[in-house]
Structures are given as structure tokens and as C-alpha cells.
Amino acid sequence: MAGAASQAPSTTAAAPVDLAPHELRILVAVDRERGFSAAARALGLTQSAVSHSIRGTERKVGAVLFERGRKGATPTAAGVAAAAHARRVLRLLDTLAAEARGAARGTVAGPLRIAAFRSAALFLLPPVLERLTARHPGIEPRVHVVRELGAGTAGEVAEGRADLAIATIGATSPVPTGLVGDVLVEEPYSLVYPAGHPAPRSLPLVDWHENCGSYTRRWWARQDWIPKATVLAEDDGAVLSLVSRGLGMAIMPALSLTEAPDGIETTDLGPDRPTRSVGYVTTPELAAGASVRALIRELRAPRR
């Protein structure tokens, strides 16, 4: 089987690809489970049915989607792309049904999958979702917290795992190709240090990895007073906890400082201070849907 997977199925490049929803579901399951047997169990099918479906899908798209081996099925580059598109298509089919029912009843309803980094999930989204569900009780928000690294939250939308993401975007961090979005808030960074410390810039740096714009990276590189981080934390909440206990200073965006713990002080970093642009990202197709449109309206409403 492993040897057979190394040769791409032949097809006419211009031929239309006509995949049925059940073929897409099988493709997504194999990608998720990383194996034909596991995907078959998850779907309640036989392994031979799953294998037959994947072979048929590969013939139709003209590319090998999975490398077969003893350890399971590993998606090729083509498989990764195909699975992402399959998830997005399946989500649109779900949206079609939910919005058709909603149109018949004059309501907006159904699950709404949101990816957000930690501070956005804690402080930006709750009042937004409170207003959204008050206006549209049938909407079921499902928030998934994702570290804002690499593809980050926007990558969840691109991969079809989220309908909308709260992401770091802006002039220096553009919306990823193929997606749409806009900036919601520009956050300044501040110096954060233990309350009452007489010389906070002399403290070691406590830091965490996050996506930030090129302006912020350039600003950081120009500051010869900022030492190399001696403590790295998993997220901004851990950074604040460490700083509040006198273990160092940090440079943090405003959203992360919402409801900051006792024991810290902040100082403005001046007119050329770094900033972070936080916005939303979705797909062009979902942006036209009633649930995502309703969420975007609430995100754009003035913050209270």
C-alpha cells in the first residue's frame, strides 16, 4: 500500500472535480484521525469503504492526499490543502441549512465557531457575546482559545476549524490571502513592573511568544535598554503573575492588562510606543452569512 501511494492518480487537469459531501467528510475524518481505521471507526464505516472513498477522491482531484504507512495516513501538502477546503465546504453546507431554516422562521440560529487568543477570549469577547446572544438567542457561540503564534487564530479560519477569528492584523500584519477582515482596536504597549520598584528598567525581562506587527518588532530592536528575556512564560497571564511577584518587568499590550493583578504598575512608553492591531478574520463566504454578520456588528459596536 505504501508503494502504491507514491504515484499520483492520472486525470485530465481541466476536468471538473465533483465530490459528494460524504467524500468530503471521509477526507476530513482521515486527516483528523491520521488513519483509515480510526476514521472508519469515527464514521461508523468499514476501513475498505474509507480506503475506496479516498482513492476515488484522489483520482478526482489528481493528487495523492495521504501517504499510507504502518503508522497510519499522513496528509501530503495536497492533502492538507484539500482537507482545509473540505472543512470549509462542509461548514457552508451546514450554514446553508441553518440559515434557510432561520429565514423561514425569521431568526438567526446555529453554532458559531470563534477562535481567539487568551486575552481576547477573556476580555474582548464576553460583552460582545452577551449582546449577540441577547439579540439572537438561537446563536450558539463556541469559543476556542488558540495561541497567537505562526498561523495563529487566523489559521483556524483558513483551515476551516473556525468561522471567525480574533487575530493580530493591521497595516503591518495583513489579513491572510483568501480571507477578509478588519481592525477593531489599536492597543498600545506599556512597561509593566512590580508596584513601587524604584528602577523597573533594571529588572530582568519576563516575556512570552506572540504574533506582533513589524512596527513593534522594529521598535523592540531599537531599544538598547531591553535585555534578552531571562524568563519565558506560556501566555500573558503567566507573565503578569510573575511580574506581580517581583520577578521582572514586561512590555505588554493594553488588552492583556485588563483586570491585571494587584502588585503591578504600568508606564507609558512614549509617542513612538509599539502598538498591536486586533481585528476579526473570516472567509468571504461566511462573511455573507447571518450569524457571522451579526457577530461582526457587535464586534464593531462601541466598547462599553
Side-chain angles (χ1 to χ4, degrees):
M1 292 296 292
S6 62
Q7 296 181 356
S10 60
T11 188
T12 303
V17 177
D18 188 11
L19 294 173
H22 76 273
E23 293 176 295
L24 300 180
R25 292 189 183 94
I26 290 172
L27 167 59
V28 168
V30 174
D31 177 69
R32 181 182 66 246
E33 303 294 339
R34 291 297 193 263
F36 288 10
S37 297
R41 287 193 297 271
L43 296 171
L45 300 173
T46 64
Q47 181 177 346
S48 61
V50 170
S51 298
H52 177 76
S53 177
I54 293 297
R55 286 196 299 270
T57 299
E58 289 177 328
R59 283 195 300 272
K60 290 177 181 180
V61 302
V64 173
L65 302 180
F66 297 96
E67 294 290 348
R68 287 78 158 169
R70 292 181 179 179
K71 294 184 178 181
T74 303
T76 62
V80 170
H85 284 291
R87 283 188 290 269
R88 288 169 63 169
V89 170
L90 290 171
R91 180 57 180 150
L92 287 177
L93 291 175
D94 290 341
T95 302
L96 181 155
E99 297 206 354
R101 290 191 297 267
R105 300 167 184 165
T107 61
V108 180
L112 181 59
R113 307 171 305 163
I114 305 164
F117 51 88
R118 193 199 75 93
S119 57
L122 281 175
F123 306 120
L124 189 154
L125 277 177
V128 169
L129 297 181
E130 184 179 25
R131 296 194 303 270
L132 178 71
T133 54
R135 290 188 174 90
H136 306 286
I139 291 180
E140 304 166 16
R142 300 175 183 176
V143 179
H144 178 42
V145 177
V146 178
R147 295 188 70 188
E148 189 65 340
L149 292 171
T153 58
E156 296 296 293
V157 173
E159 291 291 320
R161 296 186 176 92
D163 303 326
L164 180 142
I166 305 300
T168 304
I169 60 173
T172 59
S173 302
V175 175
T177 302
L179 303 180
V180 296
D182 197 8
V183 173
L184 297 168
V185 60
E186 293 280 355
E187 298 185 90
Y189 281 74
S190 298
L191 175 64
V192 185
Y193 54 93
H197 197 283
R201 292 193 179 196
S202 67
L203 290 168
L205 177 67
V206 183
D207 202 5
W208 87 106
H209 294 298
E210 65 157 358
N211 290 344
C212 60
S214 59
Y215 173 79
T216 298
R217 290 191 293 271
R218 289 196 300 269
W219 178 91
W220 199 284
R222 293 195 303 268
Q223 311 307 308
D224 56 10
W225 60 273
I226 301 179
K228 183 177 180 180
T230 55
V231 180
L232 282 174
E234 283 295 306
D235 59 50
D236 48 356
V239 171
L240 284 172
S241 179
L242 291 166
V243 172
S244 70
R245 293 180 177 273
L247 297 174
M249 58 86 170
I251 298 169
M252 307 189 73
L255 195 58
S256 296
L257 298 175
T258 308
E259 299 182 9
D262 294 334
I264 68 166
E265 291 183 24
T266 63
T267 296
D268 190 291
L269 289 168
D272 66 338
R273 64 195 176 198
T275 60
R276 179 172 73 169
S277 301
V278 176
Y280 71 87
V281 173
T282 186
T283 69
E285 301 84 8
L286 289 171
S291 295
V292 170
R293 285 204 318 272
L295 175 57
I296 292 172
R297 280 195 296 271
E298 297 301 336
L299 286 168
R300 286 175 167 167
R303 296 178 68 185
R304 303 184 182 117

